[in-house]
Amino acid sequence: MTRKIGLPLGLFGTGILIGALFLHAAAPQRPPWLSGVEWPVPKAIDPGGLGKPPSDAIVLFDGKDLSAWEGAEKWKIEDGVAICGSSITTKQAFGDCQLHVEWASPAEVKGTGQQRGNSGIFFMGYYEIQILDSYENETYVDGMVASIYKQRPPFVNASRKPGEWQTFDIIFKAPRFDEKGKLREHARVTVLHNGVVVQHNFELLGRTNYRVPPYYEAHPDKLPLSIQYHGSPVRFRNIWIRELEDDHEELLTPLRNKLREIDWAFQPYNG
């Protein structure tokens, strides 16, 4: 009788694995993919910290004065806090930007709906993100806090109680118009309210208005930022803005066009 001698199963499996790895290593592979885009090197900044803006930010209010604004004669500054007393506008114009604002509605609740802690941030003077005391305060939802006024309510109501400090962190992309004044790209906005995303890359329908539908009308690439006064002494502190650099989209255009021409169905992946 002939006796069969077999390898232990573990050793046999190891041999198969080593062989497969050898064949894979021996097979020709594609070189690493290179985009071909020669990007400029991003500059280094200090990101700041709690209560400290990034080093490339433009400080609009640091608790001392409102010298960056026009029309602030009726505002009061107390203990590093600015109390709203009129609508104000920045002296400097802005386009694409990142804005940080800390604000608080009055601790003493007066009125209901739109009469409670009403204010607003107007980008370019035309596109409003609503400030309102929306803590247990019913109103029309596209007019509540963090709404794009009369266009879209926030995903959630992230309000703190009246009198407590709240934050807006807003990324705004200005609309684009061609040389004839025709709209080329809608404005877009992302909003974080108290650290919670409540608007995500929303495409604005046009200017935000109370009595007329949204519409676009050509304007300069950069315009001042405004804070609205709506009769309520809303408080503000630690306001800063960053101008967003050129995204160098023109560098990506040739690559985008090239990728559209590739038939990916016949391009097997090999690492």
Side-chain angles (χ1 to χ4, degrees), residues 116-137:
R116 275 177 54 175
N118 194 330
S119 182
I121 306 295
F122 279 81
F123 289 89
M124 312 189 89
Y126 298 124
Y127 312 104
E128 182 187 9
I129 307 301
Q130 176 77 312
I131 287 177
L132 192 74
D133 175 4
S134 289
Y135 185 83
E136 298 181 353
N137 178 32

Side-chain angles (χ1 to χ4, degrees), residues 146 154-156 158 169 189-201:
F155 296 147
V156 294
D169 289 285
V189 68
T190 294
V191 180
L192 281 78
H193 180 201
N194 295 324
V196 178
V197 175
V198 293
Q199 304 283 355
H200 178 56
N201 199 30

Side-chain angles (χ1 to χ4, degrees), residues 5-264:
I5 301 176
L7 291 172
L9 182 60
L11 183 61
F12 180 73
T14 302
I16 292 177
L17 177 61
I18 292 173
L21 290 173
F22 176 79
L23 290 174
H24 179 77
Q29 294 185 8
R30 293 179 180 175
W33 179 80
L34 300 174
S35 70
V37 179
E38 295 185 10
W39 293 104
V41 178
K43 67 180 180 183
I45 67 164
D46 178 350
L50 217 55
K52 181 184 176 184
S55 59
D56 63 344
I58 298 166
V59 177
L60 298 177
F61 178 63
D62 61 359
K64 298 175 182 177
D65 60 59
L66 291 163
S67 58
W69 303 81
E70 293 181 343
E73 294 80 12
K74 295 182 179 181
W75 284 56
K76 297 179 182 178
I77 299 177
E78 299 176 355
D79 299 323
V81 173
I83 304 171
C84 189
S86 62
S87 294
I88 58 175
T89 303
T90 57
K91 294 178 180 178
Q92 184 172 340
F94 301 99
D96 297 353
C97 60
Q98 173 190 352
L99 177 70
H100 175 85
V101 180
E102 297 176 18
W103 59 273
S105 62
E108 183 182 355
V109 174
K110 292 181 179 180
T112 59
Q114 294 291 305
Q115 304 307 312
R116 275 177 54 175
N118 194 330
S119 182
I121 306 295
F122 279 81
F123 289 89
M124 312 189 89
Y126 298 124
Y127 312 104
E128 182 187 9
I129 307 301
Q130 176 77 312
I131 287 177
L132 192 74
D133 175 4
S134 289
Y135 185 83
E136 298 181 353
N137 178 32
E138 291 187 10
T139 187
Y140 47 94
V141 293
D142 55 4
M144 67 183 294
V145 69
S147 62
I148 287 88
Y149 189 69
K150 284 296 193 78
Q151 294 190 27
R152 196 192 195 291
F155 296 147
V156 294
N157 182 353
S159 295
R160 300 191 192 281
K161 295 179 180 179
E164 295 184 4
W165 284 103
Q166 312 202 45
T167 61
F168 273 172
D169 289 285
I170 305 170
I171 300 162
F172 176 78
K173 184 176 182 180
R176 269 57 169 172
F177 302 92
D178 64 20
E179 62 279 359
K180 295 182 179 179
K182 184 178 180 181
L183 180 66
R184 192 161 51 86
E185 290 183 37
H186 289 68
R188 290 182 176 273
V189 68
T190 294
V191 180
L192 281 78
H193 180 201
N194 295 324
V196 178
V197 175
V198 293
Q199 304 283 355
H200 178 56
N201 199 30
F202 176 73
E203 185 178 274
L204 276 79
L205 307 176
R207 301 184 182 190
T208 55
N209 302 294
Y210 177 61
R211 298 188 184 279
V212 297
Y215 68 93
Y216 277 104
E217 186 174 313
H219 55 66
D221 294 338
K222 293 185 177 184
L223 286 170
L225 177 84
S226 299
I227 296 179
Q228 178 196 48
Y229 177 62
H230 202 276
S232 183
V234 176
R235 295 175 294 151
F236 292 87
R237 70 181 185 188
N238 195 21
I239 306 174
W240 53 261
I241 192 168
R242 295 179 62 244
E243 294 189 279
L244 298 184
E245 301 289 342
D246 182 358
D247 59 9
H248 299 289
E249 178 62 27
E250 76 283 355
L251 297 180
L252 276 174
T253 300
L255 179 59
R256 291 187 191 279
N257 294 335
K258 183 178 179 180
L259 292 175
R260 291 190 187 100
E261 297 172 0
I262 296 176
D263 187 351
W264 291 105

